[in-house]
């Protein structure tokens, strides 16, 4: 899954894709490089962010979706039913909701009616405050319990279970230790029986592990290592900003597992 943030303030690519033509060109390039789907988002969820209005989010993403209609498999990264409705009408196939249908419960019905795929992600708290001293007794068990409950909610709202994938939410209310433990113990999430998506790309925990305690992002090399580690532990969707490098690395990791 390639990432195109149509935002001024995303933590690693803020401002890069604000122009709809540039954003659409990036999405097309990502598919040429091997992405199976491109996640288009109009609201940053970086730590400390406040969120944007429906109108502003639509203003950002609709022109990009119009340019991509039909040509590129699209995921819409939103927590808002109205944004998802417009995105589905313009051809989006998946809704990636970092609040797992908590911010706007109506979104579940919109996804169900559209027959869309859904990604449900774990987040502790909300973006504005989530990185202020997050605590768990057992991070993998607690994230799994949350996702199990949200999976049941989504199915109860009419989303087909086989269309749902689950995501531990790397960096969303987690310390560096929590993020790495979630990948190490991915089996706990896989036990829920759904595909698992991992989004470690460029996140600050990577920069911290490679030596900068104040890192706000992580380097490409570290992103690739995290994606390969997640793949080896059973993740089937990797959400990444640098598609070409990840596709190459994952092709090699896959060749080790199933043969070249
Ligand atoms: N991470 C980000 C945003 N959306 N969605 C899922 N399912 N999983 C993730 O790990 C995830 C996500 C944060 O990364 P990015 O989109 O690059 O930044 P921002 O939220 O600042 O736009």
């Amino acid at each position: 899954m390639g990432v195109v943030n149509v935002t001024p303030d995303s933590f690693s690519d803020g401002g890069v894709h604000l122009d709809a033509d540039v954003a659409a060109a990036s999405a097309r390039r990502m598919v040429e490089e091997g992405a199976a789907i491109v996640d288009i988002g109009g609201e940053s969820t970086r730590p400390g962010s406040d969120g944007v209005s429906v109108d502003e989010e639509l203003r950002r993403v609709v022109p990009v979706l119009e340019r991509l209609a039909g040509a590129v498999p699209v995921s819409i990264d939103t927590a808002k039913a109205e944004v998802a409705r417009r995105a589905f009408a313009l051809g989006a196939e998946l809704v990636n909701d970092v609040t797992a249908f908590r911010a706007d419960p109506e979104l579940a019905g919109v996804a169900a009616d559209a027959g869309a795929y859904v990604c449900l992600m774990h987040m502790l708290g909300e973006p504005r405050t989530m990185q202020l001293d997050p605590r768990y007794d057992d991070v993998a068990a607690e994230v799994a319990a949350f996702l199990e409950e949200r999976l049941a909610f989504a199915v109860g709202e009419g989303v087909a279970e086989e269309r749902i994938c689950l995501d531990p939410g790397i960096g969303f209310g987690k310390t560096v230790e929590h993020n790495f433990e979630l990948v190490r113990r991915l089996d706990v999430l896989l036990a829920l029986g759904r595909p698992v998506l991992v989004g470690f790309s460029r996140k600050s925990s990577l920069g911290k592990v490679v030596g900068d305690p104040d890192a706000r992002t992580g380097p490409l090399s570290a992103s690739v290592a995290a994606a390969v580690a997640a793949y080896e532990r059973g993740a089937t969707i990797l959400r990444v900003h640098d598609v070409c490098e990840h596709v190459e690395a994952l092709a090699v990791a896959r060749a080790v597992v199933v043969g070249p």
Side-chain angles (χ1 to χ4, degrees):
M1 173 184 276
V3 181
V4 172
N5 289 311
V6 194
T7 59
D9 56 345
S10 286
F11 80 98
S12 82
D13 64 347
V16 173
H17 298 118
L18 264 183
D19 180 273
D21 287 321
V22 173
S26 287
R28 283 193 207 95
R29 192 197 66 240
M30 288 177 183
V31 170
E32 280 163 19
E33 291 174 347
I37 193 158
V38 181
D39 194 35
I40 311 280
E43 175 178 52
S44 173
T45 49
R46 74 183 191 291
S49 65
D50 270 330
V52 297
S53 68
V54 175
D55 285 348
E56 177 60 17
E57 206 176 315
L58 286 169
R59 200 187 61 74
R60 292 177 184 179
V61 297
V62 165
V64 182
L65 299 173
E66 285 171 347
R67 282 162 176 75
L68 295 176
V72 166
V74 165
S75 155
I76 181 74
D77 187 349
T78 190
K80 299 186 180 79
E82 189 52 36
V83 175
R85 198 178 281 119
R86 289 288 293 279
F88 294 144
L90 288 164
E93 297 171 22
L94 185 153
V95 61
N96 171 27
D97 179 5
V98 299
T99 78
F101 295 152
R102 289 178 298 161
D104 187 350
E106 202 195 317
L107 177 51
V110 171
D113 290 346
Y117 290 89
V118 167
C119 178
L120 300 174
M121 195 196 81
H122 175 271
M123 168 166 34
L124 184 69
E126 56 179 71
R128 206 165 43 79
T129 53
M130 65 190 178
Q131 288 305 100
L132 304 174
D133 195 25
R135 286 168 194 247
Y136 303 84
D137 290 326
D138 179 336
V139 68
E142 287 168 49
V143 167
F146 170 89
L147 291 173
E148 186 173 28
E149 188 273 320
R150 297 319 293 165
L151 177 63
F153 172 81
V155 171
E157 293 294 305
V159 181
E161 183 163 352
E162 62 272 18
R163 300 219 156 212
I164 302 174
C165 69
L166 305 175
D167 180 345
I170 300 299
F172 287 84
K174 281 124 194 152
T175 63
V176 176
E177 288 75 13
H178 294 144
N179 289 327
F180 283 95
E181 183 173 346
L182 283 165
V183 176
R184 187 183 319 122
R185 298 178 60 206
L186 212 62
D187 58 315
V188 178
L189 300 190
L190 288 163
L192 298 174
R194 300 306 314 143
V196 170
L197 182 155
V198 171
F200 225 136
S201 178
R202 296 187 183 173
K203 285 187 179 163
S204 62
S205 290
L206 301 170
K208 290 176 179 150
V209 162
V210 300
D212 175 2
D214 301 320
R216 297 175 67 95
T217 62
L220 173 57
S221 52
S223 300
V224 167
V228 169
Y231 165 77
E232 288 177 335
R233 282 159 186 76
T236 46
I237 308 171
L238 289 312
R239 183 181 183 277
V240 307
H241 303 80
D242 305 283
V243 169
C244 179
E245 292 83 351
H246 281 84
V247 166
E248 288 176 355
L250 289 163
V252 172
R254 188 166 188 277
V256 171
V257 176
V258 299

